[in-house]
Amino acid sequence: MAMLLTLIIWAVGFVHVQCKPNIIIMYMDDMGWGDIGANGNWAKETPNIDKMAREGMRFTNFYTAAPICSPSRASLMTGRLPIRNGFYTTNWHAVNSYTPQNIVGGISDDEILMPQLLKQAGYRSKIIGKWHLGHRQQFLPLNRGFDEFFGSPNCHFGPHDDVKTPNLPVYKNDKMIGRYYTNFTISHGLSNLTQMYISEATNFIEDQTKAGTPFLLYWTPDANHQPPYASEMFYGKSRRGSRYGDSVMEVDYGVGVILKTLKNLGIDKDTLVFFSSDNGAEGIAKQNGGNNGPLLCGKQTTYEGGFREPGIVWWPGTVKQGVVTQQLGSTMDIIVTAATLAGIYKKPC
């Protein structure tokens, strides 16, 4: 479970690393291994993610814990396999392992989540975007260790117009501030939500920098999930000729804005950034879906296309530039890496 930390120290070339670095996890939704230029995508429409890979360490064999949203996210937050953290599936195409809006369950109180762990070291944490670990009050992010929340407990499914299945809520911290489609418009794949998520991220980073507080930012936009959406800035712009391509361009833009903010604030060398995806691209979406490169199948399957994801670690001045590793890595390694660097398990400096 300490594989990422071991590889980071190997890439550094020396043992001393920054105490309590800021930690950012960029976790995409249904983005495939072959969706980024660094992994060979023909459209080359992810210049910021590709630059992040050139400036850091790229994993060619990086895996999530499950080929569908909720179990993958639960394992990222806990460092534990789905069968252990309570999010697992039967043989029915993996679809009964995620949390649709008509269930009452969520992440168990017995699980220790990453923000709860890092809080012990004085970190302030925020999740922006998709939670997907339970939509009832007791399961929401602020009751599971996060200090701030902007986004939704679920995905942007819809629109729904009946009483039994209302449109999904959007939260600002512990208060519902509206619903998808009703208040936060998504019309024919056009939406400004990703721009909101970018602004929320930069504002949070700026606030914590001013306060001198180490932070955990879990940035998880859901624009790539079906049905994909993009803002006017990227709508209809992708050479891939799909709304999905537009959405990939926009989250790539968000990655660039966030990394530029770190540099402008002078905290880039104090910040460890991970980039990955919760599961592979959805094959049934066909031309309007993502790209799993040479990997077989995709989301909801246990073939490589379902589990194997883009994996990038970026930490200027600590992780050497241009490192490409074929060592296995997993999203479940991130919590141990973060906690160790924060000095919770073992002081690194």
Side-chain angles (χ1 to χ4, degrees), residues 87 99-109 131-144 149 152-154 168-169 171 173-176:
F87 281 87
T99 58
Q101 67 191 100
N102 59 350
I103 70 163
V104 295
I107 191 72
S108 170
D109 286 341
W131 171 236
H132 221 188
L133 298 182
H135 62 82
R136 291 169 70 97
Q137 191 66 38
Q138 66 266 36
F139 303 119
L140 293 178
L142 265 62
N143 291 322
R144 298 316 317 270
F149 174 35
S152 178
N154 210 299
L168 291 156
Y171 279 78
N173 295 326
D174 60 348
K175 305 296 182 184
M176 192 182 88

Side-chain angles (χ1 to χ4, degrees), residues 257-271:
V257 171
I258 291 170
L259 297 185
K260 184 177 180 180
T261 299
L262 297 176
K263 292 177 180 178
N264 289 344
L265 293 171
I267 60 168
D268 52 318
K269 294 183 178 180
D270 302 321
T271 306

Side-chain angles (χ1 to χ4, degrees), residues 312-335:
I312 301 171
V313 180
W314 184 90
W315 192 359
T318 299
V319 172
K320 289 181 180 177
Q321 294 190 15
V323 175
V324 179
T325 177
Q326 296 179 344
Q327 292 289 332
L328 291 178
S330 168
T331 55
M332 291 184 290
D333 296 330
I334 294 176
I335 184 172

Side-chain angles (χ1 to χ4, degrees), residues 185-201:
T185 306
I186 305 174
S187 178
H188 303 288
L190 183 64
S191 175
N192 203 41
L193 276 163
T194 301
Q195 293 298 318
M196 295 181 192
Y197 294 154
I198 295 168
S199 295
E200 287 284 329

